[in-house]
Amino acid sequence: MTFLDRTAHARVRDLSLGGARIEMPLHASAYDLPNLRSLHIPQIGLARVDVRWHSDHMIGVEFVTPDLIRQSLTRYFASLDPRTSVRPIGG
């Protein structure tokens, strides 16, 4: 995750074509959330984001330009093993 003046590591807990739910190592209040600018997701790439909500260690972000990341997300979802419990939501 990239803020105006620093970066932070996080874990993606939920991912959709419109955004993501992110688990942070520290409480969300420890971060400068209004200045969160982007999220890098391995195998997908860099996405510009806006924070929509936060609670405890979780942050919900919306992709600012979902059309630009849609192709990478669609490719990623298609590569998932259908026998796993991971399923894409949204469209």
Side-chain angles (χ1 to χ4, degrees):
M1 301 181 82
T2 304
F3 297 85
L4 282 178
D5 61 347
R6 67 180 171 150
T7 61
H9 293 279
R11 182 177 304 228
V12 176
R13 288 298 184 182
D14 290 315
L15 183 62
S16 72
L17 294 174
R21 181 170 61 106
I22 311 297
E23 181 179 11
M24 303 299 292
L26 302 175
H27 193 279
S29 64
Y31 300 93
D32 185 16
L33 295 181
N35 288 315
L36 176 60
R37 296 292 184 243
S38 63
L39 173 65
H40 179 266
I41 304 171
Q43 302 170 332
I44 294 172
L46 188 66
R48 290 184 47 223
V49 297
D50 282 334
V51 174
R52 291 295 172 217
W53 60 266
H54 60 87
S55 177
D56 299 322
H57 291 256
M58 297 294 179
I59 299 171
V61 297
E62 178 181 25
F63 297 131
V64 173
T65 53
D67 292 342
L68 295 178
I69 197 167
R70 183 176 303 270
Q71 184 177 12
S72 296
L73 286 168
T74 301
R75 208 174 23 249
Y76 173 73
F77 290 143
S79 74
L80 297 175
D81 186 336
R83 295 170 293 179
T84 68
S85 61
V86 178
R87 301 277 187 264
I89 298 172

